[in-house]
Amino acid sequence: MKNVRWTVLVLLLLSILLYALEYIESSSGLQNPQLEGGRTEVEFVDVNADGNIDIISIGDHGSPYVNTQEHGVMVWFGDGAGNWEVYQNGNFGYGGIAAGDLNNDGFMDIGYGMHHNYSGNDFGDSILEAALGDGTGQNWQPWDDGISTGNTNQWGMFCTDLADVNNDGLLDLGANSFGAGDGVHVFTNNGDGTWIQCFGFLGGNSTMDFCFGDVNADGNADFAVAHEYGTVYLGDGGGSFAIADGNLPAGSLVGRKGPSLGDVDNDGDQDLAFCNTGGGIEVWTWEGNSTWTDMSGLLPATGSYQVTQLCDMNIDGFLDVIAFGSGTTRVWLGDGTGYWAADAIFTTPAPGDYGAFRVGADADHNGYPDIAVVAEEGDTWSAINHLRFFKETSAVDSLFVFPVYPRGGEVFRTGSVRFIKWTCAVPAGHASHMKLELSISGLSGPWTTITDSVPDNGRYQFSVPSGINSPTCYIRYTASTSIDTFICTTAAAFTISDGTGIQTGDVRPEGTGSRITVTPSISDTRFSVHVLTSGRGHRRVVIYDRNGNLVRELLRVNGAGDFVVPWDLKDGQGRSVPAGTYFVKMTGIGDGLAAKLIVVD
């Protein structure tokens, strides 16, 4: 019989208080083909739906066949352990790429911008394109009629991303220019292989980066871009965008370098990280009305950093900052208040000039996000790019799911498509699959199946149902292997709405201010449980074991409060509990928080 374990959310894995994150290189197969130099973009996605993360790219300056064997769309298929095998298709390259299901047929498709549009046919003859996949990751069908930047110089496009900018249930395409002149462009997807430009401009310098997000939590796609003319653009849900840089510090002549978006302070909207003109790292939180607050704290104000990523690397419920520059990758752990603790660091060989940087997917199924780096290596006159992959080293002792997105406070528009994301720790020798369910009436349900038995690859493209206006929506995640099942939900409620009654930039569902922390996370004597509650209503704080059995009630709370409660490893009858994995959980109105702790002999 399967072992079934239930939790509303495992929010904190606090072993990082004792042990820092560590990464080990796992790049077998990534040196085929050899790269050359210059910028590129890599993405993590399960191209062939086998449950394992793959790496995709259209290469650097060496593609196609410029001093290398790079060409076309390159897919390094992953085996789930950090080993890779490449397959290439096409005669073009040097650019950026994004992946998603463009025509909603269940297969992974791609959008890509490039400088070397050298192909003699429709697959690779334009600087910005889209193509359909057949589920293998090896064959691509051009699907890009109407995509044109309108610039006769056609210098090139580069970093590319996908999002549903007009909330019609189809992924749309956005990209930033290669260097200078071609500007920034967004195209809406008609669903039949034709596209219409809904936003764009020519001119200006860039450092190529582009990413979609939802900065003001209104349910409409926004984007951040590294461009001379500005960084943050807010979407109106119809395909138009307006700049919202507000009081952000000035960028350089090529824009604010290496921007990334994510909800740093857990308030439902997305915040901005970037590298400043001095090579330092800054984080600014969105406050509404084009106003930003500096939350950089003790992050380095100067340095040689070139790109940032925002990701919850230690899966504690708070986004962390990861940056790369001059061969150095560094992780700073966040706490949601602007305190950043320097953590993992590793280097690649000199000179380390930045080619690409990607963080977020879990390639080896240990539950923690991993990192890919492209940087130049060698002497000054003959340095070439190398693609390297680094996986987090934590061991897996049991099946475990951590919801990544939505986190709570977000707004999903009815009829749109959004990406649901998670990480899942799977014990060695087992394969897992995922079931996703939706409740629009809080944690008590009822629950409606979104999808069942899909690959456990960390991302699912969700078609948001119509006819819903609810601020109390939750996703329930069920991971299953042949011997085990683990169930959890999002940390706090998010909203699904058709837009009626949504107050832009002011989404604060009850529960997002609550918190549980445990010190230490591994002990043989006692744990100190810190409980912070917000909002109204009754809550219970309880300890339960890995099988879902109640061990002890620690606390009952009515309303808001801040409490520290010791647990001396006794159950409700005063008996000592055996060694093993336990969870402290808060239950009640608007809350669904839990922390993992380990009792040792």
Side-chain angles (χ1 to χ4, degrees), residues 296-423:
S296 305
L298 297 178
L299 291 170
T302 60
S304 57
Y305 293 103
Q306 298 168 284
V307 62
T308 68
Q309 297 270 270
L310 289 169
C311 183
D312 189 352
M313 303 302 287
N314 60 344
I315 57 174
D316 69 343
F318 301 106
L319 290 190
D320 310 312
V321 179
I322 313 92
F324 176 82
S326 298
T328 298
T329 298
R330 190 72 192 252
V331 178
W332 290 267
L333 302 179
D335 69 350
T337 68
Y339 175 77
W340 305 98
D343 197 74
I345 185 171
F346 59 84
T347 61
T348 56
D353 292 337
Y354 163 53
F357 190 56
R358 186 61 61 209
V359 174
D362 174 21
D364 59 342
H365 301 286
N366 78 335
Y368 288 82
D370 302 319
I371 301 172
V373 175
V374 177
E376 285 196 340
E377 302 175 17
D379 64 53
T380 304
W381 304 108
S382 60
I384 61 172
N385 276 339
H386 288 258
L387 169 58
R388 298 185 184 273
F389 182 84
F390 297 87
K391 60 184 182 182
E392 204 281 328
T393 61
S394 295
V396 179
D397 60 356
S398 60
L399 186 66
F400 182 79
V401 180
F402 182 78
V404 172
Y405 186 86
R407 301 163 61 86
E410 300 88 353
V411 176
F412 286 11
R413 291 299 181 108
T414 57
S416 68
V417 292
R418 301 291 285 264
F419 292 111
I420 298 172
K421 300 179 181 180
W422 67 92
T423 63

Side-chain angles (χ1 to χ4, degrees), residues 215 260-267 269-273 283-287 292 310:
V215 172
S260 55
L261 295 174
D263 186 2
V264 171
D265 51 1
N266 284 348
D267 63 356
D269 56 44
Q270 292 193 327
D271 310 306
L272 176 70
V283 175
W284 290 72
T285 56
W286 173 258
E287 304 298 338
W292 300 82
L310 289 169

Side-chain angles (χ1 to χ4, degrees), residues 415-440:
S416 68
V417 292
R418 301 291 285 264
F419 292 111
I420 298 172
K421 300 179 181 180
W422 67 92
T423 63
C424 183
V426 183
H430 296 276
S432 60
H433 61 271
M434 186 69 62
K435 179 180 182 179
L436 302 174
E437 299 168 280
L438 171 68
S439 169
I440 63 173

Side-chain angles (χ1 to χ4, degrees), residues 125-355:
D125 64 349
S126 300
I127 63 172
L128 185 60
E129 296 186 340
L132 300 182
D134 64 359
T136 67
Q138 299 181 0
N139 304 305
W140 309 99
Q141 178 66 38
W143 210 64
D144 57 5
D145 290 348
I147 298 179
S148 173
T149 65
N151 187 359
T152 57
N153 292 327
Q154 297 283 294
W155 181 245
M157 299 300 293
F158 219 86
C159 291
T160 305
D161 204 1
L162 300 172
D164 186 357
V165 303
N166 57 352
N167 299 317
D168 66 348
L170 295 166
L171 289 175
D172 307 307
L173 178 68
N176 191 9
S177 64
F178 170 74
D182 276 327
V184 176
H185 303 275
V186 180
F187 291 84
T188 55
N189 175 4
N190 291 327
D192 59 1
T194 65
W195 302 73
I196 297 175
Q197 183 160 11
C198 63
F199 175 82
F201 56 81
L202 297 171
N205 298 298
S206 86
T207 49
M208 307 179 193
D209 299 289
F210 181 101
C211 62
F212 280 117
D214 186 1
V215 172
N216 57 350
D218 65 351
N220 300 319
D222 311 314
F223 67 81
V225 63
H227 196 278
E228 177 184 0
Y229 293 167
T231 300
V232 177
Y233 289 78
L234 302 182
D236 66 355
S240 296
F241 295 84
I243 195 165
D245 284 4
N247 61 314
L248 290 174
S252 69
L253 292 178
V254 291
R256 298 176 182 90
K257 296 180 179 180
S260 55
L261 295 174
D263 186 2
V264 171
D265 51 1
N266 284 348
D267 63 356
D269 56 44
Q270 292 193 327
D271 310 306
L272 176 70
F274 59 90
C275 298
N276 62 30
T277 56
I281 302 165
E282 300 191 24
V283 175
W284 290 72
T285 56
W286 173 258
E287 304 298 338
N289 299 317
S290 295
T291 302
W292 300 82
T293 295
D294 187 356
M295 199 182 257
S296 305
L298 297 178
L299 291 170
T302 60
S304 57
Y305 293 103
Q306 298 168 284
V307 62
T308 68
Q309 297 270 270
L310 289 169
C311 183
D312 189 352
M313 303 302 287
N314 60 344
I315 57 174
D316 69 343
F318 301 106
L319 290 190
D320 310 312
V321 179
I322 313 92
F324 176 82
S326 298
T328 298
T329 298
R330 190 72 192 252
V331 178
W332 290 267
L333 302 179
D335 69 350
T337 68
Y339 175 77
W340 305 98
D343 197 74
I345 185 171
F346 59 84
T347 61
T348 56
D353 292 337
Y354 163 53

